[in-house]
Amino acid sequence: MNKLLSALTGLALAVTGVTAGASDTITRKICVFDIAGNSGPIMQAMRDWRTDALTWGLRVELIPYTNEAIVAEDLQAGVCDAGLMTGMRARNFNRYAGTLDSVGGIPDFEHLRMVMQVMAHPSTAGHLTANSYTIMGMAPAGPAYVFVNDREINTLAKAAGKRVAVLEYDPTQAQMVSQMGATPVLSDLSNFSNRFNNGVVDVIAAPLATYTALELYRGLSPNGGIVDFPLAQISLQLVARSDRMPQEIAQKSREYFFDNFDDILAVLNAEASAVDKKWFIDIPEADQREYEEMMQEARIQLRDDGHYSPEMLTLQRRVRCRFDNSRGECTNPVE
């Protein structure tokens, strides 16, 4: 079988393809968020996934969307049998999987690989079906970094009074920004980068892989920077209506996504390498520890408020301790 690697901005999937017999297949509609539309890289990657899905007995009609909110609405309305969206949006359908993108919960790609390996294992399937929806796959989109239009905004204290773009459907972002003393500006994935590039907001969070595609260097120029400390690991997730997707097919799809983790990672790293090093703002180690403590406090509060899944936070903490058992949370766990 031939491997097909699709280069995409922040995301890529590789597949193998053999066609199954027509009598063995079911036909379903998959709505795909790709800001570039039908010719975009995510749609191309999902065409590759569609080829492989035939071997599982799934024939797919792919429908491109440039507005992520409408993907979620059409999934709920039954227009789509499944929808590809960001993990933050997917949290509205499955809190466990949506907490994958928790603030500070997963430090780097190696930690993320281990978490996703657990999520792709059949023993985790029970966590991935809830509220009539099933998660069919998770793909990394890269860690989110803070982009600022003024390099002086290099501490939490200096963010006070600044305008920060937050996703309008995610109340956790506005809550955290307000606690910092900054002003949340409700935005979505179709306009947050333009608002930064045009000076409407002072601060955004975005994966490095979007730097070129969204022309974020425009918003950084001339005196901006990127705080060299990742906030969260962003993901894409394929969410299906449980009554429209057999569980055995959902499991094969999850394994497919994880099997291609390294191919996706290679594309993300290649895109991130396009970022000019001059933009990065170094953060002292002492400040990094302070940020880690702040993010842990935020995770606990968001867990207690019902936004984050306790089970996913525990998994992330166990993975962090697997890599470094000297962390204080390993002997005195609070997550």
Side-chain angles (χ1 to χ4, degrees):
M1 294 184 289
N2 296 321
K3 181 174 287 187
L4 304 175
L5 177 59
S6 296
L8 26 106
T9 302
L11 300 164
L13 300 174
V15 309
T16 54
V18 178
T19 304
S23 61
D24 300 325
T25 63
I26 58 174
T27 300
R28 297 291 183 263
K29 292 183 179 181
I30 310 295
C31 299
V32 179
F33 169 59
D34 188 329
I35 201 166
N38 191 50
S39 61
I42 298 175
M43 272 296 293
Q44 182 55 52
M46 288 303 291
R47 292 187 186 98
D48 294 342
W49 173 87
R50 176 179 62 186
T51 301
D52 216 59
L54 282 173
T55 69
W56 317 326
L58 176 63
R59 188 180 303 278
V60 170
E61 177 187 354
L62 295 174
I63 307 172
Y65 286 67
T66 57
N67 187 316
E68 186 190 28
I70 300 179
V71 172
E73 292 170 4
D74 281 0
L75 177 61
Q76 290 175 309
V79 175
C80 318
D81 298 307
L84 187 72
M85 63 192 73
T86 61
M88 290 175 290
R89 178 85 65 175
R91 193 185 310 143
N92 295 325
F93 298 93
N94 186 293
R95 189 167 56 143
Y96 179 82
T99 306
L100 182 67
D101 298 32
S102 69
V103 58
I106 301 177
D108 57 35
F109 281 128
E110 291 310 306
H111 287 72
L112 180 62
R113 183 199 308 275
M114 186 173 291
V115 173
M116 285 191 166
Q117 183 177 20
V118 172
M119 295 179 73
H121 193 274
S123 63
T124 306
H127 286 298
L128 298 175
T129 296
N131 305 317
S132 303
Y133 295 94
T134 297
I135 304 299
M136 291 184 65
M138 300 76 58
Y145 287 80
V146 173
F147 288 65
V148 298
N149 60 10
D150 183 349
R151 296 180 72 87
E152 294 300 315
I153 311 174
N154 59 357
T155 67
L156 293 176
K158 293 179 180 178
K162 301 300 181 181
R163 299 159 299 175
V164 182
V166 299
L167 296 177
E168 58 189 1
Y169 60 84
D170 186 0
T172 68
Q173 296 186 20
Q175 178 179 332
M176 287 188 289
V177 167
S178 296
Q179 289 175 346
M180 292 162 46
T183 302
V185 178
L186 299 182
S187 308
D188 59 41
L189 294 179
S190 66
N191 64 24
F192 85 107
S193 59
N194 285 335
R195 289 181 172 180
F196 179 68
N197 291 340
N198 295 325
V200 176
V201 298
D202 305 299
V203 182
I204 61 170
L208 296 179
T210 63
Y211 170 82
T212 300
L214 299 181
E215 301 181 341
L216 297 180
Y217 44 83
R218 293 174 50 207
L220 292 172
S221 298
N223 300 315
I226 304 170
V227 179
D228 195 8
F229 187 82
L231 286 181
Q233 296 290 336
I234 307 303
S235 69
L236 274 188
Q237 299 187 17
L238 184 57
V239 185
R241 297 176 65 90
S242 298
D243 62 349
R244 298 292 293 163
M245 200 66 64
Q247 285 300 316
E248 59 270 23
I249 289 180
Q251 179 59 36
K252 289 180 182 297
S253 180
R254 290 191 291 268
E255 292 171 1
Y256 162 89
F257 272 73
F258 179 71
D259 286 345
N260 293 283
F261 183 95
D262 287 332
D263 290 330
I264 301 170
L265 182 59
V267 174
L268 292 175
N269 287 335
E271 292 290 342
S273 68
V275 180
D276 194 324
K277 301 302 180 187
K278 72 178 183 180
W279 297 121
F280 287 103
I281 303 171
D282 291 331
I283 300 298
E285 186 174 341
D287 288 349
Q288 292 185 28
R289 289 196 296 270
E290 179 183 349
Y291 291 161
E292 285 186 356
E293 292 173 2
M294 179 272 294
M295 290 190 292
Q296 183 185 64
E297 292 173 0
R299 291 195 302 272
I300 292 172
Q301 180 178 341
L302 293 170
R303 176 198 67 189
D304 293 345
D305 290 345
H307 297 296
Y308 281 175
S309 158
E311 293 83 5
M312 174 54 71
L313 292 183
T314 297
L315 171 60
Q316 293 177 356
R317 188 256 305 164
R318 288 175 174 169
V319 169
R320 292 194 299 270
C321 291
R322 183 78 173 268
F323 280 87
D324 180 7
N325 61 13
S326 68
R327 300 172 64 95
E329 64 180 342
C330 305
T331 54
N332 184 28
V334 292
E335 293 181 88

